[in-house]
Amino acid sequence: MQQRTIASFTVSAIGLGCMNLSHAYGTPPSAEQSERVLLAALDAGVTLFDTAALYGFGANETLVGKVLSKHRSSFTLASKGGMSGVHFDDGVKRVIDGRPEAIRKNCEDSLQRLQTDVIDLYYLHRWDKKVPIEDSVGAMAELVRVGKVRAIGLSEVSATTLRKAHAVHPIAAVQTEYSLWTRNPEIAVLEACRELGAAFVAFSPVARGFLCDALHDVGTLVPKDIRAAMPRFSPDNYAANLKLLPPYKALAEEAGCTPAQLALAWLLHKAPHIIPIPGTSSVAHLQEDLAAMDVRLDAGLLTRLDALISQGTVTGPRYSAQSASEVDTEEFGVSV
């Protein structure tokens, strides 16, 4: 198992994003199936498990705590606060709240659900733009000081925000969507992480299933599938994007790997501080993903990949206007 570094932690070069087991892509798998995936990942040598208070409104942390707490010393545990489910009269809704008191409460609640006394890597899930980033990070730094958190990270932030936060307390990792079809980190934050010594944790590294060749008809998406509200998955945009798949699959065949493995191998070849965290509800897919560490790509194939799928060839933005307003990442065509 190849290894990479986050702060003082040595972790597997590919981690496991646990969100899929409780959240975002329709009906979650059964508890038994989820347990099989988590334990299979641990048995295979995965040592970075990533969850969040938001996922399933606490259900994902509860699952991870129940299944993995007895193996706590065997892996690096990452979770996120600052965005969680809040109960209203008409149901549970996600709320971004970066106030210090909210971050402290989020962390306490997460510790209980995860059945642990310390979270190795604790992210601010979203920067609450009503609260100075320095205040939110200051609260997280206090969690480190009192021993409830070992290192802190940020999710979906710009290089400017990262540098402001890092001036308050060292930022161990930035987690942002990054794949062949989402290149925003290449504008500035990927390089800022390298300069500051922070790891870059890439979520949705197989483009929410697109680069797995797993979704051929967006009309089959169920209402609880977050992709149904994403512009790239609208019928017209997705029809255009599907035209990229045949030549992409041909490149995977040339590389001697599956489409999913090609997407992950591309990230691993990009820079040594990048750690992809694909998610899956299938043990077979988990094993397929981890085998991407053995894929070798030559410079010519990497160049052709970059030309085939990038911000210039993919149709549609990655987020709706509402979701885009909630993140702080750089955008192409906007000065930084």
Side-chain angles (χ1 to χ4, degrees), residues 19-20 23-28 207-209 214-215 217-230 233:
M19 181 182 75
N20 302 46
H23 189 85
Y25 294 113
T27 303
R208 304 185 187 273
L215 178 65
D217 180 6
V218 291
T220 63
L221 294 176
V222 297
K224 288 186 177 181
D225 192 314
I226 59 173
R227 293 173 293 184
M230 292 179 170
F233 291 92

Side-chain angles (χ1 to χ4, degrees), residues 244-267:
L244 299 171
L245 274 182
Y248 175 73
K249 289 162 65 177
L251 288 177
E253 185 174 354
E254 181 180 334
C257 65
T258 68
Q261 289 167 347
L262 182 59
L264 294 167
W266 176 83
L267 280 168

Side-chain angles (χ1 to χ4, degrees), residues 9 18-19 22 34 56 92 156 236 243 269 285 310 329 331:
F9 306 109
C18 300
M19 181 182 75
S22 307
S34 297
V92 183
E156 295 275 44
D236 289 347
K243 296 176 183 177
H269 280 69
H285 289 164
S310 70
T329 51
E331 296 293 331

Side-chain angles (χ1 to χ4, degrees), residues 184 270 284 292 301 307:
N184 305 64
K270 272 288 178 181
L301 195 143

Side-chain angles (χ1 to χ4, degrees), residues 77-139:
L77 175 62
S79 194
K80 310 176 196 71
M83 182 164 68
S84 56
V86 176
H87 290 269
F88 294 93
D89 291 341
D90 56 347
V92 183
K93 298 180 181 178
R94 75 177 200 172
V95 171
I96 298 173
D97 190 345
R99 295 173 301 151
E101 57 268 34
I103 289 172
R104 288 191 292 268
K105 185 177 189 309
N106 283 174
C107 184
E108 291 290 353
D109 292 344
S110 291
L111 288 167
Q112 290 186 25
R113 289 189 292 260
L114 290 164
Q115 299 184 34
T116 187
D117 57 1
V118 62
I119 297 169
D120 297 318
L121 175 60
Y122 194 57
Y123 292 95
L124 185 66
H125 204 158
R126 290 289 187 275
W127 172 34
D128 180 352
K129 298 173 186 177
K130 301 184 299 298
V131 179
I133 190 64
E134 294 87 347
D135 291 358
S136 297
V137 171

Side-chain angles (χ1 to χ4, degrees), residues 17-78:
C18 300
M19 181 182 75
N20 302 46
L21 302 177
S22 307
H23 189 85
Y25 294 113
T27 303
S30 67
E32 294 76 15
Q33 177 63 15
S34 297
E35 181 173 355
R36 281 193 288 271
V37 170
L38 291 171
L39 293 178
L42 196 66
D43 288 344
V46 173
T47 54
L48 176 63
F49 289 80
D50 183 275
T51 181
L54 178 71
Y55 302 160
F57 302 125
N60 196 247
E61 287 184 324
T62 299
L63 168 70
V64 170
K66 178 183 177 182
V67 176
L68 296 182
S69 60
K70 61 181 72 70
H71 308 285
R72 184 65 185 83
S73 62
S74 300
F75 64 93
T76 297
L77 175 62

